[in-house]
Amino acid sequence: MIWSLESAEHFPNKTKFIQEAHRLLKSNGKLVIETWCTKNPHLSRITQFMLSIINYGFHTAAWTSRQEYYQLLKKHNFRSMRDQVWTKDVLPFWRHVIMTAINPYNFFRLASYGPSSLLSSIMLYMGYLTSTIEFVIMTATKI
């Protein structure tokens, strides 16, 4: 089993990630990916701008939608693909992150890291609220 927990969003080349997972897994091996995805593969300019702020603050790579992950998995001989959207489950966490960050005691400590950390957190939270971004767990089996 390979479990990618909130790491795939940092990989600049999703194709290489899926290829390497396929190479490492035995037949019938499981790949589990927990990651941030865009809900739609076709992004407006405003959405692209919002995602670029998140990328800068969290050092993430190009965004991928669930549909694009499915296409990559299928292309590289994975089957039995399933997913669950956990966005509603992670929203309280991000709300807490923002509330903690704007607390005066923490705000000045966070400010020492630069404004991108707080702004990126807010943009990610807004992406979840507007259903632009999803937190997804996907599973697939190597054939």
Side-chain angles (χ1 to χ4, degrees):
M1 177 197 286
I2 295 175
W3 185 316
S4 169
L5 174 61
E6 288 193 69
S7 54
E9 62 269 14
H10 298 280
F11 302 150
N13 189 324
K14 306 299 189 275
T15 300
K16 284 185 179 180
F17 163 57
I18 299 299
Q19 287 173 333
E20 187 64 6
H22 188 272
R23 185 184 73 78
L24 292 170
L25 285 168
K26 293 181 180 180
S27 191
N28 292 316
K30 300 284 184 199
L31 174 61
V32 180
I33 304 171
E34 284 185 67
T35 191
W36 310 339
C37 293
T38 56
K39 192 166 189 174
N40 187 336
H42 308 289
L43 307 172
S44 70
R45 286 182 187 235
I46 292 171
T47 299
Q48 289 175 14
F49 179 71
M50 178 183 70
L51 296 176
S52 71
I53 292 170
I54 296 168
N55 289 350
Y56 181 76
F58 289 119
H59 308 287
T60 52
W63 286 77
T64 306
S65 69
R66 266 191 298 159
Q67 297 93 327
E68 291 165 321
Y69 271 111
Y70 271 108
Q71 290 169 358
L72 282 172
L73 290 165
K74 191 172 185 178
K75 179 180 177 182
H76 292 93
N77 295 318
F78 282 91
R79 297 295 179 264
S80 302
M81 297 173 283
R82 293 195 228 153
D83 67 64
Q84 289 183 344
V85 178
W86 288 3
T87 306
K88 289 179 183 174
D89 300 306
V90 299
L91 272 176
F93 167 77
W94 285 102
R95 189 177 311 115
H96 180 72
V97 166
I98 292 166
M99 296 310 292
T100 302
I102 61 174
N103 173 306
Y105 174 76
N106 295 322
F107 181 80
F108 293 108
R109 289 179 33 202
L110 184 61
S112 69
Y113 297 112
S116 63
S117 297
L118 178 58
L119 186 56
S120 296
S121 296
I122 292 169
M123 289 293 116
L124 187 63
Y125 184 66
M126 294 302 295
Y128 286 144
L129 286 178
T130 61
S131 296
T132 303
I133 299 170
E134 299 178 309
F135 187 81
V136 177
I137 182 167
M138 293 173 270
T139 62
T141 304
K142 175 184 175 176
I143 54 171

